[in-house]
Amino acid sequence: MLTEHWTLKGKLALVTGGTKGIGKGIVDELIAHGAKVICTSREKPGAVNNDENIIYIRSDASKDTDRQKLVKYIKEEFGKLDILINNVGTNIRKNTDEYTDEELDFLLRTNIISAFSLARDLYPILKKSAYPSVLNITSVAGLKHVRTGSIYGMTKAALNQLTRNLAGEWGPDGIRVNAIAPWYINTPLAQQVLKNDDYRSEVLSRTPLGRIGEIEEVASVAAFLSMPAASYITGQVIAVDGGFTIKGF
């Protein structure tokens, strides 16, 4: 039936970095559509959602040992996974010549190595699902030059390319792999730079829709791409950006 294509009922999802910002929005959206969600975070969540369909796990995606424990838990406790959403990511805004090797390593491990490792290690149980989906939350900084720092941009570009490579490699297993590349979204992290009126005005001038995006506008796309309704979509990087990436003169 048509309605079965527009539900996540019975699906098990893992969302990294899912306790605030875009990640929390995605977790809430998946649950609203019927999914059970394993939600990870480096820190204990503040306002806990007591819904029985959410499981909170304290896990740092940048650390090998934490990722290994997480994968072991999912395999032993559930033996399946339908949806993997690599949402975790961070940034340190600096000029390229100011970064230390330690900062470079931290950003690489958090933004790209975590996603690669989890996808690789969860592949055996993802391919057992009827409608397996991997979704990477990247950024328009991986598509165009924006003032977020070279390391952040290159990790997001790498994540976009990983999306394409895995889609091609894992397509025969029925695993779809897509990415969402947001522009400025109304999150606490974005608000730190958007509170500068001149900067905000410049951002809006480059955005055809003339406003900052909302968390729900990213989360709804994430839910759709995880559904059977999107079963012929793979290898795509979808910009949720109010038109920023197509803005010309």
Side-chain angles (χ1 to χ4, degrees), residues 199-235:
Y199 189 84
R200 183 185 180 90
S201 293
E202 193 170 359
V203 167
L204 295 180
S205 75
R206 303 300 304 163
T207 308
L209 287 183
R211 62 177 177 83
I212 304 302
E214 297 299 331
I215 290 172
E216 295 79 8
E217 293 175 308
V218 179
S220 60
V221 178
F224 166 67
L225 289 172
S226 302
M227 289 180 180
S231 57
Y232 204 54
I233 301 174
T234 194

Side-chain angles (χ1 to χ4, degrees), residues 77-90:
E77 191 69 20
F78 299 99
K80 61 166 276 187
L81 187 68
D82 302 295
I83 301 160
L84 167 61
I85 299 185
N86 290 306
N87 167 73
V88 72
T90 192

